[in-house]
Amino acid sequence: MIYDVLVEVRLRAGIADPAGATIERALPSLGYDGVAAVTVGKTVRFTIEARDEVDAKIRSEELCVSFLTNPVIEDATLSVTPVDGVSGLDA
Amino acid sequence: MIYDVLVEVRLRAGIADPAGATIERALPSLGYDGVAAVTVGKTVRFTIEARDEVDAKIRSEELCVSFLTNPVIEDATLSVTPVDGVSGLDA
């Protein structure tokens, strides 16, 4: 079965986020006030072929830890959904 | 009132995604089979001070279109939630 996987990668609390800080510093002079706590992260989406949802989750987590994120400075949130459930294919 | 905003930025369909393609190409030789359709996007999180949720949404959308995304090649999905609702502050 095929599953859609969405990985959201965020810097861990306390890790410097220069991209977010730069955006935050620039906004007031561009006319945007009241914006704070800007952080920038990344997302990786893919499909994975797996026996079942648990298998899909385990292999996606492995993938995250080994290649998609740096666990020392980043946290990842995974969501796994069957492709059927999302694309609305006839069951 | 303060609102938490999450912006998810994805490349539009049909726009080349070299980062995703590189990950996809590398995975089989790293022992991960069955992974396809890899795309890489970014997220921006921030808090915004606004009169109400509609105001927060309108100003965040403006921000997205003007500075956070390139509307020619990117699509953005916005979600706005009151900080109270998320952080569980005493009401």
Side-chain angles (χ1 to χ4, degrees):
Chain A
M1 220 179 141
I2 293 178
Y3 295 84
D4 270 323
V5 182
L6 165 62
V7 182
E8 198 198 331
V9 185
R10 305 169 65 177
L11 287 169
R12 282 177 186 270
I15 303 290
D17 182 347
T22 305
I23 293 172
E24 192 168 334
R25 216 168 36 233
L27 288 177
S29 61
L30 295 165
Y32 290 87
D33 288 311
V35 178
V38 183
T39 59
V40 177
K42 65 181 174 184
T43 55
V44 185
R45 286 174 186 266
F46 54 89
T47 62
I48 193 165
E49 226 180 297
R51 274 194 315 279
D52 52 36
E53 203 162 324
V54 175
D55 182 37
K57 215 166 250 180
I58 290 173
R59 289 175 50 214
S60 303
E61 265 165 21
E62 254 178 55
L63 237 170
C64 272
V65 174
S66 350
F67 306 115
L68 301 180
T69 69
N70 175 349
V72 178
I73 58 164
E74 292 170 334
D75 267 330
T77 320
L78 261 172
S79 62
V80 176
T81 44
V83 167
D84 285 358
V86 169
S87 66
L89 290 176
D90 293 326
Chain B
M1 219 179 141
I2 292 178
Y3 294 86
D4 269 323
V5 182
L6 165 62
V7 182
E8 198 197 332
V9 184
R10 304 169 65 176
L11 286 170
R12 283 176 185 269
I15 303 291
D17 181 348
T22 304
I23 294 173
E24 192 167 334
R25 216 166 38 232
L27 289 178
S29 61
L30 295 166
Y32 290 87
D33 288 311
V35 178
V38 183
T39 58
V40 178
K42 65 181 175 184
T43 54
V44 185
R45 286 173 187 267
F46 54 88
T47 61
I48 193 164
E49 226 181 298
R51 274 194 315 278
D52 52 36
E53 205 163 322
V54 175
D55 182 36
K57 214 165 251 180
I58 290 173
R59 288 175 50 214
S60 303
E61 266 166 19
E62 252 178 56
L63 237 170
C64 271
V65 173
S66 351
F67 306 114
L68 300 181
T69 70
N70 176 348
V72 177
I73 57 164
E74 292 169 333
D75 266 331
T77 320
L78 259 173
S79 63
V80 176
T81 44
V83 167
D84 285 357
V86 169
S87 67
L89 289 176
D90 293 324

